[in-house]
Amino acid sequence: MTRNAADAEDLVQETFAKAFAAPGRFQPGTNLGGWLYRIMFNTFVDGYRKRRQEPLLAADPVDRQTDPRWSPGSADGASAEEHALGNLLQAEIVAAIRALPARHRLMIYPADLKGLGYRQIGDLTGIPVGTVKSSLHRGRGQLRATLTAHYPVQTDDVGGRADSCTARRSALPTAGRCPIGDTGRVLVAACPKRSPIPGQRGLTRHRSAGGLSTGGCTRSAASARESLPGGPGGGAGVRPGRGAGVRAGRRAGLRDDPLRLPRAWALGLQRSRADHGPGDGSLRIIVPDRQLACAPADSAEGRRYLGAMAAAANYGQANRQLLSEAARGVLSA
Amino acid sequence: MTGARLHLVYDVSHNLATIETHAGRQLCVHRKGATRALPPGHPDLPADLRGSGQPVLIPGSMGTSSYVMAGVPGGGAFASACHRAGRMLSRRQAARSITGAELRRQLEGRGIAVRGASERGLAEETPQAYKDVTQVVEAAEGAGLCRKVARLVPLGVVKG
């Protein structure tokens, strides 16, 4: 609400102060959270109307650099670069996932790298939950076979199925560190009976964490199409049902392998019915904000975007040359 | 000033995404609010900059210093550094905090020539709207992103 930590704290304090000052106004049996929220909302609106008259400091101008809430994970002293590289998948794992048939890969990513539940994946892709489960089972089996070949585990040492994740983790060359960070999610992927991320399966949790909902996705995907250089192309005006994208993607064989840019998939990726090949503007990438666009860097859209950016840089440089020349003219006149 | 010659020393574009190789991987590095700061000896640097590392210009504001920095080895941020002192006030907030005429008087009172600015455009760029550039530069150097080379003070400002 406040876009500013200090104001947020003040708002919460004022809300509770008002609530304690007038406990009689709360009707027992009704929703306490809702009542408090209503007080908070009214307090905020009142304050907003008052503050509109005064110039304001921007939201937390310096805090983002020093406030630990804005730099998660830096406590271990690792640099931003180390964090970013640590979050990339190891080449063998990328290759193993990439080798999976598209229908299995499509399930592995949201389930085992993003921690979505069966139902969420079903909602996102329009694929029936039973099919999600069976595709995941086969995909994980195949992935386990490939990864076990890369990182052989002595079955004698494993001591039961539940420990196989740990055993496999210690067999990795990075000495106990999971190749995609410390979560071990890819390794868990090799153990089909274990939930990838406990506690992250409910749809509610998913929504609050990522702000994703199917309604929002459609809008975001549409705006992503529009924002890409080259325009909406064949995708203009086409809003396929939620299932159509993936089915069309399967038919098309997912030519732009999304795993080359895991981040693009981090927000979910489908192809629309209008998929006639790379570069037709029909990537459907779900982003949490309408102002964002997203495409794999080496897709036709991504390449066009980078090309346009390079052209803009050249234009800027030429423009500055002209300005410099004009300045030269003034100084030498 | 007439008869003076003007040489281009350095020109760079900010806020760009480029395909680069880091730690043996090909990555798309998008520097937003940042600029490339290649370390000395990097093969992408032209010969005359190879010894010093890539120049990093950190302009302050119309009324404060600007700094010339240079890239250093092992910056830990994909060879990047900030490219300015960030805003503390939005343009709108800045324009409300001071009038353009008042700011012009202040700058000219300190011997800084002001040209080509609308009153509103000038007020948007008031030095109070920016973080203290000296602190920003100290932080960038302290974080090992780049090193200080020179401090510049403004003689004149042109706002388009």
Side-chain angles (χ1 to χ4, degrees), chain A residues 95-116:
Chain A
I97 298 178
R98 208 177 269 176
L100 295 173
R103 65 168 63 192
H104 299 160
R105 206 170 50 196
L106 210 62
M107 303 291 111
I108 293 279
Y109 187 81
D112 295 322
L113 300 185
K114 291 312 293 172
L116 302 191

Side-chain angles (χ1 to χ4, degrees), chain A residues 206-249:
Chain A
H206 166 48
R207 280 189 176 144
S208 64
L212 292 177
S213 67
T214 43
C217 293
T218 312
R219 278 200 307 279
S220 301
S223 72
R225 270 203 301 278
E226 284 152 19
S227 317
L228 282 168
V238 179
R239 282 196 177 182
R242 276 180 281 139
V246 171
R247 285 193 292 274

Side-chain angles (χ1 to χ4, degrees), chain A residues 52-58 61-62 65 79-82 84-85 88-91 297 305-306 309 313 317 320-321 324 327-328 330-333, chain B residues 1-8 11-13 15-19 22-23 25 27-28 30 75-79 87-90 93 96-97 131:
Chain A
R52 217 163 34 168
Q53 312 299 327
E54 322 160 357
L56 277 178
L57 275 184
V62 184
Q65 278 148 38
S79 72
E81 183 174 319
E82 284 161 350
L85 288 171
L88 291 175
L89 294 169
Q90 265 191 1
Y305 187 88
L306 290 171
M309 189 178 264
Q317 234 150 13
R320 292 195 295 274
Q321 288 286 345
S324 304
R328 267 185 210 113
V330 170
L331 291 173
S332 61
Chain B
M1 283 292 268
T2 54
R5 290 164 66 190
L6 195 60
H7 296 288
L8 177 66
D11 181 26
V12 69
S13 302
N15 292 340
L16 291 180
T18 50
I19 305 292
H22 292 273
R25 283 167 172 275
L27 301 171
C28 178
H30 192 170
F78 300 98
R87 270 188 179 273
M88 303 231 292
L89 300 177
S90 72
Q93 288 164 343
R96 279 201 244 164
S97 71
K131 292 176 190 170

Side-chain angles (χ1 to χ4, degrees), chain A residues 107 118 121-123 125-135 247 250:
Chain A
M107 303 291 111
Y118 297 135
I121 298 171
D123 283 349
T125 59
I127 291 175
V129 171
T131 313
V132 171
K133 285 184 189 172
S134 63
S135 295
R247 285 193 292 274
R250 282 210 296 254

